[in-house]
Amino acid sequence: MCRSIKTLRPPVIPEEATEEEIRAAALQYVRKVSGFRAPAAHNREAFDRAVEEIAASTARLLDSLEVRGAART
């Protein structure tokens, strides 16, 4: 998988991941899977929609994880 995607949960990072960090990870994932760094105009909508859907799924995942030994705010 894409090595530039970092772990976005405590204790790997000191605080909860920001929306910007989540979107950056989603963008890296979509770039890797699609093979496009930047899609052609005719693929832009599908590319952007995938980034948004993956970012939303990632945010839900991080919100629902229970990390043992980590204080939850």
Side-chain angles (χ1 to χ4, degrees):
M1 196 54 212
C2 189
R3 294 172 196 250
S4 62
I5 298 175
K6 66 180 184 175
T7 302
L8 295 178
R9 65 164 179 79
V12 177
I13 61 172
E15 298 176 357
E16 289 187 15
T18 65
E19 189 173 316
E20 185 176 303
E21 289 171 316
I22 291 170
R23 189 174 191 298
L27 178 59
Q28 287 297 330
Y29 177 81
V30 172
R31 284 177 173 168
K32 184 66 164 188
V33 170
S34 70
F36 297 119
R37 186 181 187 308
H42 63 277
N43 288 324
R44 170 60 63 188
E45 185 179 334
F47 189 91
D48 291 344
R49 184 175 51 247
V51 171
E52 294 308 316
E53 290 174 2
I54 292 166
S57 292
T58 300
R60 285 191 301 273
L61 170 65
L62 292 173
D63 285 344
S64 65
L65 289 176
E66 180 180 327
V67 181
R68 293 184 179 199
R72 186 91 174 157
T73 56

